[in-house]
Amino acid sequence: MTSLTANSGIETLPTSAAVRWEPRRALALSVARKRTAFVRGLRLFFTAGALAIVGILVIQLVLGSGGAVPSETEAVSTDVRMTNPRFTGRDENLTPYAVTADTAIRRRDAADGVTELERPRLDYNFLDPGAAGSQVLAQSGRYDLPNRILDLYSDVNFRTRAGYTFQSSHARIFLREERVTGNEAVEGTGPMGTIRADSYEISDGGNHIIFSGNVRARLIQDRTAPAADVEADAGSEEGNQ
């Protein structure tokens, strides 16, 4: 017979508990390994995403720096350029007129309504109706729309309906008043002859003309030509009949 002792019973208990504990320990280690691998994978994923974002930003910066740098002209390119512009209006007598040009430029820093013109023209019965609509009056000009003032510069040539032709380097046409002034030397030719002066003013549709400063005139008497009032101030005259 086999006898049981107290010691043998006590020895069996640790063995049974160890058998039950070993699977649980192995399971916990497996879960821990899986969790560690998952966390490591998340770290790698986020690290790769951050590197990709940084790379995209670097590429954009490189491409942006390699593009064309705006020049000073482009920086102030808020100037407005128009081709074949046309401005219309009426004078104080409600007579219509039209200002045209090859090109119009409205500068950013210009006063409101002021436009620069290239090769301006004026269709207005103040000028010779036979050529005013297509004749270039000057190489450049400036039109003040609010005040209805047309300034002409460089190679100014125009002819009034009274038959007088004028050449100068400047003319200011007041469209509301049907009046022209010039503060530069002028040469005029008309039915009464030729005249040269330092400045001039034309009013009343070309029937009243005032020349001022170093006036030199050569007058030709022609009773069939239209009469015009010509005044000469502070100058000398040469007459030829």
Side-chain angles (χ1 to χ4, degrees), residues 24 35 37 49 52 61 66 90 93 106 131 142 177 218 241:
R24 294 179 180 177
R35 183 177 299 171
L61 290 175
R90 294 179 180 271
N93 296 319
R106 184 162 294 175
R142 184 179 60 187
E177 308 168 22
R218 184 179 297 273
Q241 294 185 352

Side-chain angles (χ1 to χ4, degrees), residues 85-89 97-101 117 120-123 143 150 175:
R86 182 180 179 85
F87 306 91
T88 59
Y97 61 83
V99 178
T100 59
L117 305 176
R121 304 171 179 85
L122 176 62
D123 186 0
Y143 184 48
L150 175 62
L175 295 171

Side-chain angles (χ1 to χ4, degrees), residues 162 164 190-193 220-228:
Y164 291 89
M192 296 183 62
I220 301 175
Q221 185 176 6
D222 186 353
R223 299 183 183 278
T224 62

Side-chain angles (χ1 to χ4, degrees), residues 64-76:
S65 62
V69 178
S71 63
E72 293 182 359
T73 302
E74 293 174 344
V76 296

Side-chain angles (χ1 to χ4, degrees), residues 13 21 26 33 62 64 68 85 89 100-101 105 109 116 139 147 180-181 192 199-200 204 212 224 229 235:
L13 291 176
W21 183 78
R33 290 192 185 98
V62 172
T100 59
I105 304 173
D109 54 352
E116 295 181 9
Q139 292 303 309
N147 296 311
V180 182
T181 63
M192 296 183 62
S199 61
Y200 63 100
D204 191 21
S212 303
T224 62
D229 294 332

Side-chain angles (χ1 to χ4, degrees), residues 127-128 135 156-168 185-197 200 202 206-207 209-211 215-220 222 225-226 228 230:
L127 302 180
D128 182 7
Q135 180 184 2
V156 179
N157 290 273
F158 62 94
R159 178 183 176 89
T160 68
R161 64 172 180 239
Y164 291 89
T165 302
F166 296 90
Q167 298 86 35
S168 181
V186 61
E187 293 182 2
T189 303
M192 296 183 62
T194 61
I195 193 168
R196 187 265 177 211
Y200 63 100
I202 307 170
N207 294 321
I209 307 172
I210 300 176
F211 296 96
V215 179
R216 298 181 65 86
R218 184 179 297 273
L219 304 179
I220 301 175
D222 186 353
V230 179

